[in-house]
Amino acid sequence: MGLATATIANAEDYQRVLSTPHPVFLLFVSAHCPACTEAVPLFEKVAARYPIVVSMVLDCAQTPRHPEVTGTPTGLVYVNGELKEKLQGFGPLEDQAQLVEDTFARYAS
């Protein structure tokens, strides 16, 4: 599992990614978002420690709009194709590492 490099091109691609029996953590980002600059390396670092979770960073400019994403960064966690958690941003900088770690840990067990 781990970090995927696939591009989401349409609704069918979303369904294909979500059809896995493993948890899926999608991080939606924008190239012009200062908070995303901090969020992506943190997300990738934590994701590398949880290979059971399918983890993807998706650039909103290159990905079809997702109805749950109204700003960036936004994290969506799916289990068995069902949205379980939505993170709009990762909160204050000093709390971000723990929030991302806790979120991955919740779904990796």
Side-chain angles (χ1 to χ4, degrees):
M1 299 322 99
L3 294 172
T5 56
T7 300
I8 301 292
N10 51 45
E12 292 79 29
D13 282 352
Y14 275 121
Q15 290 310 311
R16 191 170 23 263
V17 169
L18 299 179
S19 69
T20 177
H22 300 281
V24 178
F25 195 158
L26 305 175
L27 178 62
F28 292 84
V29 298
S30 171
H32 304 293
C33 166
C36 295
T37 304
E38 301 286 333
V40 170
L42 171 62
F43 179 84
E44 290 176 337
K45 178 181 174 185
V46 175
R49 293 196 300 267
Y50 293 93
I52 191 78
V53 178
V54 176
S55 307
M56 299 178 73
V57 176
L58 302 170
D59 184 337
C60 288
Q62 300 173 4
T63 303
R65 187 182 181 293
H66 190 290
E68 292 293 331
V69 178
T70 57
T72 58
T74 295
L76 302 178
V77 182
Y78 286 85
V79 176
N80 296 321
E82 181 181 337
L83 181 63
K84 294 293 185 178
E85 192 164 348
K86 177 179 177 180
L87 302 172
Q88 291 186 287
F90 289 161
L93 189 58
E94 63 273 9
D95 299 333
Q96 290 180 3
Q98 193 62 55
L99 173 73
V100 174
E101 182 75 36
D102 290 351
T103 303
F104 270 93
R106 240 188 328 278
Y107 296 98
S109 51

